[in-house]
Structures are given as C-alpha cells and as structure tokens.
C-alpha cells in the first residue's frame, strides 16, 4: 500500500539560531508516533526520531504531534515526517537581525508629514509626504450621538507622528505604548549595537544619536504637539456617557491635557495614498487617558535624552509634569466615542495609565508624590488600554530606582512570566498562552508576553523564559495551524495583503505590497466585524480565525502598537 501523506509540518519559517531550541509541530490524525528525519541540503540525514503525540488541541482544532531537533548545527535543512516534507529552512546565528531591522523600518514607512524616500524605505515604497503640513481645528458641531461640540480657538499645527495603522489616524493613546516600547527596548539594552547611530535605515542615521531613540522621537515630538496649551478653556464631558452616548459637557481649564486624536472626518476608502487623502482632518477633544500617555512617554523620553539632548529632555520633562498635573485636576475625562472617520481608542479603566505615568515620573524625579501612586498589582499583558505593566517594567530596568522598588517590580514581572511558562505546557502549539480567546491584534498580545518573558530571563538568567519567548516568535513566523508567517517578507508563506491604504497592491497594481517586517494583527475570534471575518464566524478554531485579505480589517490590519513589540522581541532574540 502507498504511504498516506497526511501530515502538515509547521515551524518557524525564518529558521533557528544554533543555540536555541528547535521545535516543529505536526498536525496529523495518527494516534501513534510518526517517524521523522531532519535532512540537510546535501541529502544527509542529520537527526531522526519519532514524534511525540500531544493530542487534540482546541485552539488550533488540530491533533498535534511535536518534534524537537535542538541539536541541529548550522546549515540548511528540511524536515520529513511520514512522507511529507517541509520547505527548506536555516539554522544560522543571525536570523533575527534582519527581522528586527525591517520591523523597525515599518515606523519610518508610517511617518506622516514627511516624504518617504527610496533611500530609507526602498524604491517601491517611496511616496510623497502625506498631510504635510497638518494644520487642523477641533471638531465642532454635532457628533453621531447628537452631542454638540463648540470646538476650540484657532488651528493647531499637529504635523508629523506615525500613521496608526492601515488608516491615516493619529492617536495619542496608541502612540503611547508604541513609542514607549521602542524607548524601552533602548533602555533594556538588547539593541544598543543593532540600532546604534547609523545602523538603521532612517534619515537621522548618522546624527550622533541612537537610531531607535531617533525613531521613537519622531512620535514623541508629535505627542508634544498634541498637548493643550496652558490656560485653554474647553468644553469637555464630565461623568459617564448615557447609554445613548449623550454627554454632559462643561467648560474647564484643559491646559496640559492631550487631545485624544487627530483623524479624518469620515472614513476614507481603500486604496488611498496618504498624500491623496481628500477628507477634512479634525482634532478631537482631550481625554485623561491620552494625557496620562503623554505624561508617561514624555517622562521616559526626558530620562533617556537627558545627556544626549538636554534641551529636548527638558521640554519633555515640562510636558510630562504639566500633563500629570492636568490629569490630577481632571482624573476621569473619557474619550468621547461619538465620532466617525477614525478609531475610538476608548478606555474606561484609567488606574493602570495613572500607575504607569506615576512610575515614569518617579523614575524621572524620585519625588514622593509619584511614589505613592505606583500601584502594586499583578502584571497584566500590556496593550493600548492596559498600560500598568509598562510602568512596572520601567521601575524594573531604569537607573536610579530604589532597590526595594526595583526588586518588587522585577518579582511581579517574573511572577507573570511564570504564569506564561505554565500556559506553554497546556498549549498544543506550545505558545505561552493557553486561552481560547483571540483578541483583535492577538499577535501583539503574544509578542507582549514574549517581551515580559525576555525581561524575566534577563532578571533571573533562567533559560526557560527564553524558550517560552522563542515559542511566540516560532508561532508568529509559521509554527501555527495555518502554516502562515504573519510577517511580510519573512518566510515561505509571508503576510501579503494587510489592511492598509497604501500597501494595497491587491486593489491597485500601481501600489506596493507591504514592505518586509510588518506583522499582521492575527487571528481574532472575539470581534469578527469585517466582511471576511463575518464569513468565518462560528466556523474557525481560534487560531484559524484569520485570512490574508485586505478587507479583513479585524484580522489582518497592521499597527504601530503591534510592530513595536515585534521589534523588541526580534532584537531580544538576536541579542541572546
Ligand atoms: O487595536 C484596536 C483594538 O483593540 C480594538 O478592538 C479595535 C476596535 O475598536 O480597534 C483597534 O485599533 C484600530 C484603531 O481603532 C484604528 N486604527 C487601526 C487600529 C488597528 O485595527
Ligand atoms: Ca486602561
């Protein structure tokens, strides 16, 4: 009888570093172990064995077998299992370096208010500046919920920053975690040589400053522009919105707060070059969440730029202190949600933003008034609306934090990492997440777990944390039930059609595909709102609720807060 080929071999399509664990997952119905061989380019069998049957896995819907071939030395290989063969992959020391570099270049590609040059972006991705300059006024008139906004005096220059994602909105809340993550990577030290001045592809290369800090600064400068000038009176919502979205507006001194966002009055269609955006651009009312994001990131920047650029550091410090003061005066101004044309980024739990900002200001100033508000909660996976862990990380890594505070912060990070390691053992595909709920942008949740795991390795020296962090990279780069590399330009089955207005080749052949190094949001079984997701709804195992389609904005968008942890994790794995 001919051998039945009924095995799908899933592994990291980038390959493996020689010193790292090398694991593959085989989805196959067989209840008994299957023979496998690791074949080198020259045809030699380097390793062989039998799969370990792990069993049925709900997150993937697969019956899972595992293969470990950790001992494989440098070379080019493929795996064969029961007559099926994988594609060729490498075992080589520097596989994560090009990924980290490309992932950082995403931020240059997303810059607003400046031409994107072939020299830094690559010929296919060069484009004229979008929204240059960006001088906008505050939204006035009735919003979708019927609230009437008086607007505010005068146009403001809010040029610059990064476009958030596939849309052209710019949001202070999401800017916060994204810029923070790049700055934190600098501070954590995993990328000091990788992104030393002159190493990255960006216009500031060679300006005497670290390139990672330069890229983050592009966003921080924009966040500073989003700060409400001292003494500005604005009508802002007080209390909670009614069920129908109606708000009670009150005039108040909003000086020092941050405007929540800037974006198109109406959603624009795809495809759309940034420079062709025909819509009015509006500034939307300040929120306490945006204000605390500004306080946190500006305080972090003030610390990191202190010796390299004291004048900029001082500007950041003043902005951070003013923002903190404004957030104290107005502790619960929620982002109004009655506007169309841009994302909501509405967050109703602000204690985590407050603890984060307090941690950053404490690390900057050492003042007791911030020490009182640091928070001592268990560390949660960071996200744009869950920022408490960011403050804990800063307390764990920043210079000059008192020992007891640092020890406590490190212990809380390690405790969270222990939980993730424990989850790995329950996950069919071996990732440090055992749940069945895949959020919008689930890949970023996993990458943020990997960031915490990387820090735990750094604090303890225990390799089990690196193994669990590496499992996230393995999953994102191909060791998943779809056999998909969720990153453009990397792997034999890379992301090709993200939801993006400019990287929209599938809609307009004159536009480019995504540049290399961009990560898709990934499987989402919790808010399947786009047309592609709606068709999959109820029919996919959690890790299969995804499609590489440009219309799939809930599954396949790209975003600054998702690429930032990709840079972090790739740089960390490269440094290991
Ligand atoms: O990442 C955001 C996700 O957590 C939310 O569930 C979703 C719906 O509100 O919005 C996501 O953020 C989008 C933002 O609102 C607009 N730019 C694109 C972002 C990524 O899809
Ligand atoms: Ca929050």
């Amino acid at each position: 009888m001919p051998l039945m080929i009924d095995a799908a071999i899933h592994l990291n399509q980038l390959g493996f570093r020689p010193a790292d664990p090398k694991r593959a997952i085989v989805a196959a119905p067989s209840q008994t172990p299957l023979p496998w061989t690791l074949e080198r380019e020259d045809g030699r069998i380097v390793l062989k064995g039998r799969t370990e049957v792990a069993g049925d896995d709900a997150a993937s819907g697969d019956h899972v077998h595992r293969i470990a071939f950790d001992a494989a030395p440098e070379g080019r290989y493929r795996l064969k299992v029961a007559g099926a063969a994988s594609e060729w992959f490498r075992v080589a020391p520097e596989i994560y370096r090009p990924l980290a570099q490309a992932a950082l270049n995403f931020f240059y590609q997303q810059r607003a208010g400046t031409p994107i040059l072939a020299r830094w972006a690559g010929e296919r991705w060069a484009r004229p500046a979008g929204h240059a300059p960006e001088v906008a006024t505050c939204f006035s008139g009735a919003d979708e919920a019927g609230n009437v906004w008086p607007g505010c005096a005068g146009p403001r220059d809010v040029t610059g920053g990064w476009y958030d994602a596939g849309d052209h909105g710019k949001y202070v809340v999401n800017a916060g975690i994204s810029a923070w993550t790049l700055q934190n990577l600098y501070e954590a030290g995993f990328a000091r040589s990788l992104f030393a001045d002159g190493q990255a592809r960006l216009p500031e290369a060679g300006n005497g400053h670290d390139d990672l800090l330069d890229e983050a600064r592009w966003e921080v400068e924009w966040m500073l522009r989003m700060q409400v000038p001292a003494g500005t009176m604005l009508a802002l919502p007080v209390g909670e919105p009614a069920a129908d979205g109606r708000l009670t507006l009150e005039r108040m001194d909003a000086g020092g707060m941050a405007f929540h966002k800037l974006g198109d009055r109406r959603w624009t269609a795809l495809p759309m070059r940034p420079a062709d955006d025909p819509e009015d651009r509006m500034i939307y009312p300040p929120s306490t969440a945006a204000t605390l994001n500004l306080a946190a990131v500006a305080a972090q920047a003030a610390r990191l730029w202190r010796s390299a650029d004291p004048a900029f550091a001082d500007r950041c410090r003043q902005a951070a202190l003013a923002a903190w003061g404004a957030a104290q005066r107005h502790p619960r101004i929620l982002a109004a949600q009655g506007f169309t044309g841009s994302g909501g980024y509405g967050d109703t739990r602000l204690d985590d933003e407050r603890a984060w900002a307090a941690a950053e200001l404490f690390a900057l100033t050492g003042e007791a008034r911030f020490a009182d508000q640091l928070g001592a909660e268990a560390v949660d996976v960071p996200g744009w609306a869950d920022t408490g862990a960011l403050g804990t990380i800063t307390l764990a890594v920043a210079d000059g934090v008192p020992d007891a505070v640092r020890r406590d912060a490190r212990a809380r990070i390690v405790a969270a990492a222990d939980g993730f390691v424990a989850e790995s053992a329950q996950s069919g595909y071996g990732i440090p997440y055992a749940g069945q709920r895949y959020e919008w942008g689930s890949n970023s949740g996993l990458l943020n777990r990997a960031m915490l795991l990387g820090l735990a390795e750094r604090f303890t020296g225990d390799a089990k944390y690196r193994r669990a962090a590496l499992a996230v990279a393995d999953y994102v780069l191909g060791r998943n039930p779809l056999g998909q590399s969720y990153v453009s330009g990397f792997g034999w089955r890379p992301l090709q059609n993200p939801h993006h207005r400019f990287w929209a080749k599938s809609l307009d052949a004159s536009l480019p595909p995504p540049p290399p190094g961009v990560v898709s949001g990934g499987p989402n079984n919790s808010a399947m709102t786009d047309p592609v997701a709606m068709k999959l709804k109820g029919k996919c195992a959690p890790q299969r609720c995804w499609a590489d389609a440009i219309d799939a904005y809930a599954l396949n968008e790209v975003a600054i807060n998702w690429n930032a942890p990709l840079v972090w994790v790739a740089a960390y794995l490269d440094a290991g």
Side-chain angles (χ1 to χ4, degrees):
M1 226 177 85
L3 183 65
M4 277 270 292
I5 299 179
D6 195 4
I9 307 167
H10 300 307
L11 51 89
N12 186 330
Q13 298 173 15
L14 209 54
F16 305 88
R17 296 167 77 256
D20 277 338
K22 302 167 194 72
R23 307 292 161 97
I25 294 290
V26 179
S30 169
Q31 299 294 327
T32 52
L34 297 168
W36 61 265
T37 55
L38 181 70
E39 179 187 314
R40 207 167 60 187
E41 206 166 17
D42 59 9
R44 220 190 97 197
I45 307 281
V46 174
L47 291 169
K48 61 182 178 182
R50 289 188 164 268
T51 60
E52 175 207 334
V53 185
D56 285 330
D57 170 43
S60 61
D62 288 342
H63 185 262
V64 164
H65 295 227
R66 299 197 179 116
I67 297 177
F69 49 103
D70 297 3
E74 239 180 288
R76 205 159 163 267
Y77 302 96
R78 63 180 176 179
L79 263 177
K80 285 188 172 169
V81 184
S86 75
E87 304 285 334
W88 294 98
F89 59 89
R90 288 184 309 149
V91 173
E94 297 215 322
I95 53 169
Y96 283 103
R97 186 156 284 237
L99 175 62
Q101 288 163 329
L104 180 65
N105 189 251
F106 165 83
F107 292 90
Y108 173 67
Q109 305 264 3
Q110 289 288 105
R111 286 190 191 186
T114 190
I116 301 306
L117 305 179
R119 173 160 185 215
W120 312 115
E123 203 67 56
R124 301 173 84 178
W125 293 282
R127 58 170 173 81
H131 307 97
E134 178 119 277
V135 180
T137 53
C138 295
F139 180 93
S140 63
D143 68 17
E144 307 272 295
N147 302 299
V148 179
W149 298 81
C152 56
R156 295 185 53 78
D157 185 345
V158 284
T159 306
W162 303 314
Y163 297 121
D164 187 57
D167 63 323
H168 298 143
K170 303 190 288 191
Y171 312 88
V172 172
V173 162
N174 203 40
I177 186 171
S178 308
W180 180 92
T181 301
L182 298 187
Q183 293 189 146
N184 176 262
L185 172 58
Y186 169 80
E187 181 159 43
F190 295 119
R192 288 288 168 92
S193 66
L194 184 56
F195 296 130
D197 184 37
Q199 297 303 301
R201 285 180 288 129
L202 40 77
E204 295 79 12
N207 69 352
H209 301 308
D210 182 89
D211 287 346
L212 195 49
L213 285 187
D214 279 329
E215 189 57 66
R217 179 169 173 167
W218 182 263
E219 187 74 339
V220 176
E221 297 264 17
W222 173 76
M223 292 177 79
L224 297 178
R225 277 180 217 125
M226 292 292 279
Q227 190 162 37
V228 179
T232 306
M233 299 295 290
L234 292 176
L236 296 181
V238 291
E240 307 298 301
D244 62 359
R246 292 305 282 247
L247 303 168
T248 307
L249 301 187
E250 240 172 52
R251 264 174 77 75
M252 62 186 85
D253 176 1
M257 293 187 79
F259 289 104
H260 188 67
K261 63 178 179 176
L262 167 106
D264 293 312
R265 183 190 282 281
R266 282 166 299 222
W267 285 107
T268 58
L270 276 71
M272 176 77 60
R273 288 183 177 80
D276 298 342
D277 181 357
E279 268 300 333
D280 290 343
R281 300 279 282 179
M282 315 272 32
I283 295 173
Y284 294 92
S287 66
T288 303
T291 304
L292 289 166
N293 270 262
L294 172 62
V297 170
Q300 184 195 27
R303 213 154 39 70
L304 301 180
W305 283 96
R306 185 149 41 198
S307 58
D309 186 343
F312 177 59
D314 197 51
R315 203 148 62 79
C316 290
R317 180 194 182 93
Q318 297 310 324
L321 290 167
W324 175 263
Q328 294 290 99
R329 288 201 318 278
H330 305 305
R332 199 168 164 79
I333 306 286
L334 301 181
Q337 294 296 304
F339 307 112
T340 187
S342 56
Y345 285 119
D347 183 6
T348 52
R349 227 198 70 211
L350 303 181
D351 53 327
D352 52 320
E353 280 74 21
R354 188 161 291 108
W356 173 32
E360 297 295 349
L361 280 156
F362 179 66
L364 177 65
T365 66
E367 287 176 25
R369 61 178 168 140
F370 302 119
D372 291 345
Q373 308 216 24
L374 296 182
E377 290 80 26
V379 164
D380 270 344
V381 180
W384 63 262
D386 299 295
T387 55
L390 309 184
T392 309
I393 295 171
T394 286
L395 296 174
V397 299
D399 285 339
V401 172
D403 278 351
V405 176
R406 175 182 296 128
R407 264 201 307 277
D408 168 71
R410 290 188 173 194
R412 283 186 288 135
I413 290 166
V414 171
D418 284 334
F420 304 154
V421 169
E423 285 185 69
S424 302
Q426 297 153 35
S427 150
Y429 273 72
I431 57 173
Y433 173 61
Q436 302 301 314
R437 187 180 162 87
Y438 279 67
E439 304 276 351
W440 192 310
S442 65
N443 282 339
S444 75
L446 295 174
L447 289 163
N448 278 324
R449 284 174 183 242
M451 175 175 74
L452 289 164
L453 285 158
L455 290 164
E457 187 208 358
R458 153 93 184 272
F459 302 151
T460 63
D462 191 331
K464 72 179 177 197
Y465 301 114
R466 183 180 172 92
R467 280 200 292 278
L470 182 67
V472 170
D474 284 349
Y475 168 90
V476 167
L477 291 159
R479 197 182 78 195
N480 56 63
L482 300 175
Q484 178 71 44
S485 164
Y486 288 110
V487 181
S488 56
F490 289 85
W492 53 79
R493 190 175 183 164
L495 165 70
Q496 282 175 314
N497 303 301
H499 180 79
H500 196 277
R501 281 170 174 66
F502 179 56
W503 305 328
K505 193 176 166 59
S506 65
L507 298 178
D508 176 346
S510 73
L511 292 174
V518 184
V519 67
S520 165
N524 170 0
N525 68 354
S526 62
M528 303 184 73
T529 53
D530 69 56
V532 179
M534 278 187 229
K535 288 201 185 123
L536 281 172
K537 202 170 173 172
K539 300 184 192 128
C540 48
Q543 290 174 355
R544 290 174 179 270
C545 297
W546 186 80
D548 191 2
I550 193 164
D551 296 334
Y553 61 79
L555 314 178
N556 201 32
E557 195 161 352
V558 302
I560 55 176
N561 61 316
W562 304 342
N563 242 72
L566 177 64
V567 180
W568 202 110
V569 171
Y572 155 70
L573 291 173
D574 177 64

